[in-house]
Structures are given as C-alpha cells and as structure tokens.
Amino acid sequence: IPEVVCPDDMMNCQVRHRHLNNGGAGLVWYRMPEHVSYDSLSANISKPEFADFLKHEAILVRKDSLKWRNALPYEELTDTFCLQTPDAGLYVLSADVRGITSKNKSFFHIVTVTRLMPIVMEHPDTAVYCRVVDRTTGMPIENVFVQLFKAGEVLSSDYTDAEGKVLLGEGNRKVRTGGLYVLAKKGEDVGHPRIYLYGRYSYHETQSTENIERLFTDRSVYRPGQVVHVGGLCTTYSHMDEKVTP
C-alpha cells in the first residue's frame, strides 16, 4: 500500500498470499484528528492498545472489502486491487484478514492523503529553500504554510509565494548544524510527513575551496509531452563559509 497518495484519486493495493483459499480482507479507513501527527502514529502503531485508540479517537470514514484468488497448494499469488482515495488528511488503514488461523489477523498502515509535494534543498547563507507543487500536476501552490523545525523547535515559518517558493531560516545559525525537517500544510491538507534535511558537518578545518553544483526540476515525474523546467545553483564552500557562485 502506498504511504503518500493524492486525494480523490485511485491507488493500487497489492496482496501477496499463499495457502489462503477463500481468503480476503476487510479494510477500514480511519481519519486522524488534527492534533495527531504522523510521528506519533509511527511510534505507537505496533502497540497492543493501538486498535482501541483508533476506535475511540479516530473517525471511521469508509470500509472496503477485498477478495483474492484461490491458489494451488504452495502456489504464491499477487493480487492487485484499485481503491478510491478519500479527502486530504492523515489516515490509518486497518486490514482484518480472513482465512488465516493466526491470532494476529489485523494489520495497520499509515496513509497520507495530500496534494502537497514539498521540494527542499539547502541554500547558502544558512537558509533552506523550499518549493511546494501539486503532486499530480506539478504546478506550484501558493499560500502553503511551511515550517522549518529542529528537535521540535520552530526555527522559521512562512507562506509560499505565487510560484510556490519560500526561503526559511535565513541568517539563523542553527540551520547550519543539521537535524532539520520541514512540514507543509494548507487548509485541511495537514497530513504531509516530515521532509528531513541532513546538514553538513566539518570534522576538521580546511582552507580548501570547493564548488558544488546542483540541478533540480519542478517535479519528480513527468508525463509524455510535458515541458521539463530545470534550475541550477552553484555554491562555493571555503573554510565554513559559503556563497552563491555568480
């Protein structure tokens, strides 16, 4: 099951099975309240009391039913099911498998339903450059609230402009130390998982100068015939100093 999908779209769910004739699964979509984060779900999803948490705290949105093909003895099959995705939000998909004798018949999977696709990269002068585009069309999204964190502390926040761009943490020395992550949200679309950045660290001082070139596109996947927009950035690093090369 994918971890991140688009709202009001179709997603593929693959099941690999054997020795499960007349088997299937009941799927239940639980929407998380706004105060529940992706990280808190990840930390608690394997605990025995997680099923009770879903029943009392989450909102049951929809139920689906899957039935897979019968297999020959010791034959392994893979069935693919096409499911409709719900509205934007953070969900837990609960699967109750039929046809097995194990006590553990329930499985949980976190699914983020969002249109937001943040593209993040380091920027010279202790800053983080972020551009948010639509996950399906690749078009920039304006007025997305983007926050830059370090160990739970908000270092910087701002809204994207008409081109979906925002510059965060400019001049903040904590940005240089690494361990950073970005969260993006707009309206009810608040479920996007953290986007981590891994900062540079020098174990020894050096007087050498290094040029690093980066190329980036406005989206990760293109359809045939679409225009590819490419941007570039060349940075010069010298003894813990950095600047954009003209």
Side-chain angles (χ1 to χ4, degrees), residues 47-122:
K47 294 182 178 180
E49 60 271 19
F50 188 74
D52 291 332
F53 161 78
L54 291 179
K55 293 179 181 178
H56 294 94
E57 298 292 334
I59 303 173
L60 195 159
V61 175
R62 196 180 77 230
K63 294 183 178 181
D64 292 316
S65 181
L66 309 181
K67 180 175 176 57
W68 40 74
R69 296 173 294 165
N70 290 336
L72 297 174
Y74 304 103
E75 181 185 17
E76 182 175 281
L77 296 178
T78 299
D79 289 329
T80 301
F81 302 92
C82 192
L83 304 177
Q84 175 75 39
T85 59
D87 295 333
L90 182 62
Y91 296 82
V92 170
L93 191 56
S94 173
D96 186 13
V97 181
R98 302 184 297 270
I100 60 176
T101 58
S102 171
K103 293 182 179 179
N104 185 16
K105 297 182 180 182
S106 298
F107 302 89
F108 304 107
H109 184 76
I110 303 173
V111 180
T112 300
V113 185
T114 178
R115 293 190 184 279
L116 307 179
M117 183 176 180
I119 303 170
V120 184
M121 67 176 293
E122 293 180 70

Side-chain angles (χ1 to χ4, degrees), residues 1 7 19 23 37 42 51 56 64 68 100 103 111 121 130 156 180-181 194 205 216 225:
I1 300 176
H19 306 306
S37 67
S42 299
H56 294 94
D64 292 316
W68 40 74
I100 60 176
K103 293 182 179 179
V111 180
M121 67 176 293
C130 179
S156 179
L180 308 171
Y181 60 91
R194 296 177 178 182
E205 294 187 354
F216 54 91

Side-chain angles (χ1 to χ4, degrees), residues 177-193:
T177 59
L180 308 171
Y181 60 91
V182 168
L183 288 176
K185 59 182 179 180
K186 181 175 183 179
E188 295 184 356
D189 198 337
V190 298
H192 200 285

Side-chain angles (χ1 to χ4, degrees), residues 208-219:
S208 63
T209 299
E210 181 183 12
N211 292 326
I212 296 180
E213 298 81 20
R214 296 184 178 93
L215 295 178
F216 54 91
T217 59
D218 59 335
R219 68 188 79 171

